[in-house]
Amino acid sequence: MRLPYLCLPLAFLLGCEEAPPLGYFTDVDGDGVEDKDDCDPNNPDAGVEAIYYPDYDHDGYGDLSEGLSTCDPPDSYVTDSTDCDDTDASIHPGAEESCDDAVDRNCDGSVAYEDNDGDGWAACIECDDSDATVHPEATETCDGRDEDCDGEIDEDAEGSTTYYADADGDGFGNLALPTVACNPPEGTVVDATDCDDDAAAVNPAATEVCNAIDDDCDGLVDNDAADAATWYGDGDSDGYGDDSRLEY
């Protein structure tokens, strides 16, 4: 049944078109889109209004939380809305997951590698996935464990001490040969004041004697030596000195 448009009597006399049937829609440009939904009813290539999403990290995947319905999307907006982290271009559907971390890079709700201890490091790269204090960025401490997963135990550990080689075994170490460790390695001491680590008789606790050597490591040779003699001036060269002319 066709329903006539309401026409003025004069218009009726001149002829009046009938109204379109219910459910009828117009498509002026013939693109299959109803004119009321067409971005440009006169342009078959104009498309329809759609929802666009911001793509802040420019990876081609948009942020679902900020959809915008428009025919003319702003720059960096896309129709996709499946990005689970729009601040990181390496994270989006289809991305390859990495063993470098325990991050859901392909937005499927899971990570490719387990992180059983919840420390943020994948089991495939840390050395103990049952202990959250053990991972590549952990602080090494003096506890006999390899916390930072570098294959060494207690190296440069928090709470460690610097020891120095004591080659001559006199209890005084060589400043030029330090070792940082939790326990003293064999042949080392905490002291670093030996001036000759090849001679056990030479060290800061030694007695200075007349031998042309700095025995006590004070930087002076034969000063105040224990076996030094007292000499007096002998002005007349008779072999007898004057006790008022103490030389040294």
mmCIF file of all heavy atoms in Angstrom, residues 127-158:
data_model
loop_
_atom_site.group_PDB
_atom_site.id
_atom_site.type_symbol
_atom_site.label_atom_id
_atom_site.label_comp_id
_atom_site.label_asym_id
_atom_site.label_seq_id
_atom_site.Cartn_x
_atom_site.Cartn_y
_atom_site.Cartn_z
ATOM 1 N N CYS A 127 68.380 -17.953 36.443
ATOM 2 C CA CYS A 127 69.028 -19.193 36.864
ATOM 3 C C CYS A 127 68.286 -19.925 37.969
ATOM 4 O O CYS A 127 68.623 -21.065 38.294
ATOM 5 C CB CYS A 127 70.471 -18.910 37.292
ATOM 6 S SG CYS A 127 70.663 -17.554 38.471
ATOM 7 N N ASP A 128 67.283 -19.300 38.568
ATOM 8 C CA ASP A 128 66.489 -19.988 39.596
ATOM 9 C C ASP A 128 65.091 -19.383 39.608
ATOM 10 O O ASP A 128 64.851 -18.351 40.227
ATOM 11 C CB ASP A 128 67.141 -19.858 40.977
ATOM 12 C CG ASP A 128 66.426 -20.677 42.042
ATOM 13 O OD1 ASP A 128 65.325 -21.209 41.764
ATOM 14 O OD2 ASP A 128 66.955 -20.790 43.161
ATOM 15 N N ASP A 129 64.150 -20.025 38.915
ATOM 16 C CA ASP A 129 62.788 -19.494 38.802
ATOM 17 C C ASP A 129 61.905 -19.899 39.974
ATOM 18 O O ASP A 129 60.702 -19.726 39.934
ATOM 19 C CB ASP A 129 62.147 -19.957 37.490
ATOM 20 C CG ASP A 129 60.933 -19.109 37.107
ATOM 21 O OD1 ASP A 129 60.995 -17.885 37.327
ATOM 22 O OD2 ASP A 129 59.946 -19.670 36.609
ATOM 23 N N SER A 130 62.525 -20.398 41.032
ATOM 24 C CA SER A 130 61.773 -20.731 42.244
ATOM 25 C C SER A 130 62.040 -19.721 43.351
ATOM 26 O O SER A 130 61.456 -19.794 44.432
ATOM 27 C CB SER A 130 62.142 -22.140 42.739
ATOM 28 O OG SER A 130 63.511 -22.184 43.147
ATOM 29 N N ASP A 131 62.918 -18.752 43.073
ATOM 30 C CA ASP A 131 63.315 -17.757 44.077
ATOM 31 C C ASP A 131 63.248 -16.364 43.456
ATOM 32 O O ASP A 131 64.015 -16.043 42.547
ATOM 33 C CB ASP A 131 64.724 -18.052 44.575
ATOM 34 C CG ASP A 131 65.139 -17.182 45.747
ATOM 35 O OD1 ASP A 131 64.528 -16.106 45.943
ATOM 36 O OD2 ASP A 131 66.066 -17.563 46.471
ATOM 37 N N ALA A 132 62.328 -15.523 43.937
ATOM 38 C CA ALA A 132 62.133 -14.189 43.360
ATOM 39 C C ALA A 132 63.305 -13.249 43.611
ATOM 40 O O ALA A 132 63.420 -12.210 42.969
ATOM 41 C CB ALA A 132 60.848 -13.568 43.914
ATOM 42 N N THR A 133 64.214 -13.590 44.535
ATOM 43 C CA THR A 133 65.378 -12.740 44.796
ATOM 44 C C THR A 133 66.537 -13.064 43.861
ATOM 45 O O THR A 133 67.582 -12.422 43.928
ATOM 46 C CB THR A 133 65.855 -12.896 46.250
ATOM 47 O OG1 THR A 133 66.336 -14.230 46.466
ATOM 48 C CG2 THR A 133 64.729 -12.603 47.226
ATOM 49 N N VAL A 134 66.333 -14.048 42.998
ATOM 50 C CA VAL A 134 67.389 -14.448 42.062
ATOM 51 C C VAL A 134 66.945 -14.154 40.636
ATOM 52 O O VAL A 134 65.976 -14.726 40.139
ATOM 53 C CB VAL A 134 67.708 -15.946 42.207
ATOM 54 C CG1 VAL A 134 68.753 -16.371 41.178
ATOM 55 C CG2 VAL A 134 68.194 -16.264 43.616
ATOM 56 N N HIS A 135 67.652 -13.243 39.976
ATOM 57 C CA HIS A 135 67.374 -12.895 38.578
ATOM 58 C C HIS A 135 68.503 -11.997 38.073
ATOM 59 O O HIS A 135 69.328 -11.527 38.880
ATOM 60 C CB HIS A 135 66.016 -12.193 38.440
ATOM 61 C CG HIS A 135 65.849 -10.993 39.303
ATOM 62 N ND1 HIS A 135 66.444 -9.777 39.025
ATOM 63 C CD2 HIS A 135 65.169 -10.816 40.467
ATOM 64 C CE1 HIS A 135 66.134 -8.894 39.957
ATOM 65 N NE2 HIS A 135 65.364 -9.498 40.852
ATOM 66 N N PRO A 136 68.606 -11.730 36.786
ATOM 67 C CA PRO A 136 69.750 -10.997 36.243
ATOM 68 C C PRO A 136 69.976 -9.593 36.792
ATOM 69 O O PRO A 136 71.075 -9.057 36.658
ATOM 70 C CB PRO A 136 69.450 -10.951 34.737
ATOM 71 C CG PRO A 136 68.673 -12.195 34.497
ATOM 72 C CD PRO A 136 67.794 -12.329 35.702
ATOM 73 N N GLU A 137 68.988 -8.974 37.401
ATOM 74 C CA GLU A 137 69.191 -7.631 37.949
ATOM 75 C C GLU A 137 69.206 -7.620 39.471
ATOM 76 O O GLU A 137 69.153 -6.560 40.091
ATOM 77 C CB GLU A 137 68.093 -6.691 37.438
ATOM 78 C CG GLU A 137 68.238 -6.346 35.958
ATOM 79 C CD GLU A 137 67.252 -5.293 35.505
ATOM 80 O OE1 GLU A 137 66.366 -4.920 36.309
ATOM 81 O OE2 GLU A 137 67.352 -4.833 34.352
ATOM 82 N N ALA A 138 69.312 -8.784 40.085
ATOM 83 C CA ALA A 138 69.346 -8.868 41.541
ATOM 84 C C ALA A 138 70.693 -8.368 42.069
ATOM 85 O O ALA A 138 71.697 -8.339 41.356
ATOM 86 C CB ALA A 138 69.105 -10.307 41.989
ATOM 87 N N THR A 139 70.714 -7.971 43.335
ATOM 88 C CA THR A 139 71.950 -7.537 43.982
ATOM 89 C C THR A 139 72.652 -8.740 44.586
ATOM 90 O O THR A 139 72.057 -9.500 45.349
ATOM 91 C CB THR A 139 71.643 -6.507 45.096
ATOM 92 O OG1 THR A 139 71.019 -5.356 44.510
ATOM 93 C CG2 THR A 139 72.915 -6.080 45.798
ATOM 94 N N GLU A 140 73.902 -8.913 44.245
ATOM 95 C CA GLU A 140 74.682 -10.028 44.787
ATOM 96 C C GLU A 140 75.030 -9.730 46.239
ATOM 97 O O GLU A 140 75.452 -8.624 46.582
ATOM 98 C CB GLU A 140 75.954 -10.202 43.961
ATOM 99 C CG GLU A 140 76.693 -11.488 44.220
ATOM 100 C CD GLU A 140 76.082 -12.684 43.506
ATOM 101 O OE1 GLU A 140 75.157 -12.501 42.698
ATOM 102 O OE2 GLU A 140 76.547 -13.807 43.765
ATOM 103 N N THR A 141 74.810 -10.689 47.119
ATOM 104 C CA THR A 141 75.135 -10.530 48.532
ATOM 105 C C THR A 141 76.019 -11.692 48.981
ATOM 106 O O THR A 141 76.134 -12.704 48.292
ATOM 107 C CB THR A 141 73.864 -10.496 49.406
ATOM 108 O OG1 THR A 141 73.137 -11.729 49.234
ATOM 109 C CG2 THR A 141 72.970 -9.326 49.025
ATOM 110 N N CYS A 142 76.633 -11.533 50.144
ATOM 111 C CA CYS A 142 77.538 -12.568 50.660
ATOM 112 C C CYS A 142 76.740 -13.707 51.292
ATOM 113 O O CYS A 142 76.571 -13.775 52.509
ATOM 114 C CB CYS A 142 78.487 -11.955 51.687
ATOM 115 S SG CYS A 142 79.705 -10.824 50.985
ATOM 116 N N ASP A 143 76.232 -14.598 50.447
ATOM 117 C CA ASP A 143 75.437 -15.704 50.973
ATOM 118 C C ASP A 143 75.703 -17.021 50.261
ATOM 119 O O ASP A 143 74.974 -17.993 50.421
ATOM 120 C CB ASP A 143 73.944 -15.373 50.880
ATOM 121 C CG ASP A 143 73.492 -15.108 49.454
ATOM 122 O OD1 ASP A 143 74.333 -15.218 48.547
ATOM 123 O OD2 ASP A 143 72.311 -14.794 49.254
ATOM 124 N N GLY A 144 76.744 -17.056 49.445
ATOM 125 C CA GLY A 144 77.091 -18.298 48.773
ATOM 126 C C GLY A 144 76.184 -18.647 47.614
ATOM 127 O O GLY A 144 76.185 -19.796 47.153
ATOM 128 N N ARG A 145 75.408 -17.667 47.100
ATOM 129 C CA ARG A 145 74.523 -17.918 45.973
ATOM 130 C C ARG A 145 74.852 -16.964 44.823
ATOM 131 O O ARG A 145 75.394 -15.889 45.027
ATOM 132 C CB ARG A 145 73.049 -17.715 46.366
ATOM 133 C CG ARG A 145 72.548 -18.621 47.469
ATOM 134 C CD ARG A 145 71.056 -18.411 47.696
ATOM 135 N NE ARG A 145 70.751 -17.016 48.008
ATOM 136 C CZ ARG A 145 69.562 -16.445 47.789
ATOM 137 N NH1 ARG A 145 68.590 -17.136 47.219
ATOM 138 N NH2 ARG A 145 69.352 -15.192 48.116
ATOM 139 N N ASP A 146 74.466 -17.377 43.620
ATOM 140 C CA ASP A 146 74.638 -16.529 42.438
ATOM 141 C C ASP A 146 73.324 -15.791 42.196
ATOM 142 O O ASP A 146 72.525 -16.181 41.357
ATOM 143 C CB ASP A 146 75.005 -17.397 41.229
ATOM 144 C CG ASP A 146 75.143 -16.579 39.950
ATOM 145 O OD1 ASP A 146 75.280 -15.349 40.044
ATOM 146 O OD2 ASP A 146 75.101 -17.194 38.864
ATOM 147 N N GLU A 147 73.093 -14.701 42.934
ATOM 148 C CA GLU A 147 71.809 -13.994 42.817
ATOM 149 C C GLU A 147 71.590 -13.329 41.469
ATOM 150 O O GLU A 147 70.463 -13.247 40.993
ATOM 151 C CB GLU A 147 71.685 -12.919 43.913
ATOM 152 C CG GLU A 147 71.303 -13.444 45.264
ATOM 153 C CD GLU A 147 72.456 -13.419 46.235
ATOM 154 O OE1 GLU A 147 73.625 -13.407 45.783
ATOM 155 O OE2 GLU A 147 72.211 -13.403 47.433
ATOM 156 N N ASP A 148 72.640 -12.811 40.854
ATOM 157 C CA ASP A 148 72.461 -12.061 39.607
ATOM 158 C C ASP A 148 72.656 -12.917 38.354
ATOM 159 O O ASP A 148 72.743 -12.391 37.240
ATOM 160 C CB ASP A 148 73.384 -10.846 39.564
ATOM 161 C CG ASP A 148 74.854 -11.217 39.711
ATOM 162 O OD1 ASP A 148 75.176 -12.427 39.724
ATOM 163 O OD2 ASP A 148 75.684 -10.295 39.810
ATOM 164 N N CYS A 149 72.735 -14.224 38.543
ATOM 165 C CA CYS A 149 72.740 -15.170 37.414
ATOM 166 C C CYS A 149 73.850 -14.913 36.395
ATOM 167 O O CYS A 149 73.648 -15.077 35.191
ATOM 168 C CB CYS A 149 71.388 -15.152 36.700
ATOM 169 S SG CYS A 149 70.001 -15.709 37.713
ATOM 170 N N ASP A 150 75.031 -14.507 36.872
ATOM 171 C CA ASP A 150 76.143 -14.282 35.939
ATOM 172 C C ASP A 150 77.150 -15.424 35.967
ATOM 173 O O ASP A 150 78.210 -15.344 35.352
ATOM 174 C CB ASP A 150 76.834 -12.957 36.229
ATOM 175 C CG ASP A 150 77.523 -12.931 37.593
ATOM 176 O OD1 ASP A 150 77.342 -13.896 38.371
ATOM 177 O OD2 ASP A 150 78.219 -11.940 37.885
ATOM 178 N N GLY A 151 76.819 -16.482 36.694
ATOM 179 C CA GLY A 151 77.698 -17.641 36.746
ATOM 180 C C GLY A 151 78.766 -17.555 37.817
ATOM 181 O O GLY A 151 79.557 -18.487 37.986
ATOM 182 N N GLU A 152 78.799 -16.449 38.569
ATOM 183 C CA GLU A 152 79.778 -16.292 39.648
ATOM 184 C C GLU A 152 79.047 -16.132 40.979
ATOM 185 O O GLU A 152 77.941 -15.595 41.030
ATOM 186 C CB GLU A 152 80.661 -15.073 39.392
ATOM 187 C CG GLU A 152 81.496 -15.179 38.129
ATOM 188 C CD GLU A 152 82.411 -13.980 37.963
ATOM 189 O OE1 GLU A 152 83.235 -13.737 38.857
ATOM 190 O OE2 GLU A 152 82.265 -13.262 36.954
ATOM 191 N N ILE A 153 79.680 -16.593 42.030
ATOM 192 C CA ILE A 153 79.071 -16.547 43.357
ATOM 193 C C ILE A 153 79.747 -15.486 44.217
ATOM 194 O O ILE A 153 80.983 -15.483 44.366
ATOM 195 C CB ILE A 153 79.160 -17.922 44.043
ATOM 196 C CG1 ILE A 153 78.320 -18.946 43.274
ATOM 197 C CG2 ILE A 153 78.692 -17.846 45.494
ATOM 198 C CD1 ILE A 153 78.408 -20.354 43.814
ATOM 199 N N ASP A 154 78.945 -14.575 44.760
ATOM 200 C CA ASP A 154 79.394 -13.553 45.717
ATOM 201 C C ASP A 154 80.443 -12.593 45.156
ATOM 202 O O ASP A 154 81.185 -11.973 45.911
ATOM 203 C CB ASP A 154 79.943 -14.215 46.992
ATOM 204 C CG ASP A 154 78.874 -14.946 47.782
ATOM 205 O OD1 ASP A 154 77.688 -14.775 47.459
ATOM 206 O OD2 ASP A 154 79.223 -15.693 48.717
ATOM 207 N N GLU A 155 80.507 -12.440 43.824
ATOM 208 C CA GLU A 155 81.484 -11.512 43.265
ATOM 209 C C GLU A 155 80.985 -10.081 43.443
ATOM 210 O O GLU A 155 79.826 -9.786 43.201
ATOM 211 C CB GLU A 155 81.759 -11.821 41.788
ATOM 212 C CG GLU A 155 80.808 -11.204 40.794
ATOM 213 C CD GLU A 155 79.416 -11.820 40.829
ATOM 214 O OE1 GLU A 155 79.204 -12.840 41.502
ATOM 215 O OE2 GLU A 155 78.526 -11.256 40.175
ATOM 216 N N ASP A 156 81.872 -9.191 43.900
ATOM 217 C CA ASP A 156 81.506 -7.786 44.143
ATOM 218 C C ASP A 156 80.202 -7.686 44.923
ATOM 219 O O ASP A 156 79.352 -6.832 44.656
ATOM 220 C CB ASP A 156 81.367 -7.027 42.813
ATOM 221 C CG ASP A 156 82.681 -6.975 42.057
ATOM 222 O OD1 ASP A 156 83.730 -6.905 42.711
ATOM 223 O OD2 ASP A 156 82.657 -7.008 40.818
ATOM 224 N N ALA A 157 80.035 -8.565 45.885
ATOM 225 C CA ALA A 157 78.769 -8.650 46.618
ATOM 226 C C ALA A 157 78.617 -7.530 47.629
ATOM 227 O O ALA A 157 79.598 -6.979 48.147
ATOM 228 C CB ALA A 157 78.672 -9.995 47.335
ATOM 229 N N GLU A 158 77.347 -7.206 47.878
ATOM 230 C CA GLU A 158 77.043 -6.236 48.924
ATOM 231 C C GLU A 158 77.489 -6.828 50.254
ATOM 232 O O GLU A 158 77.137 -7.951 50.608
ATOM 233 C CB GLU A 158 75.538 -5.976 48.926
ATOM 234 C CG GLU A 158 75.094 -4.861 49.850
ATOM 235 C CD GLU A 158 73.597 -4.602 49.715
ATOM 236 O OE1 GLU A 158 72.824 -5.296 50.402
ATOM 237 O OE2 GLU A 158 73.219 -3.733 48.922
#
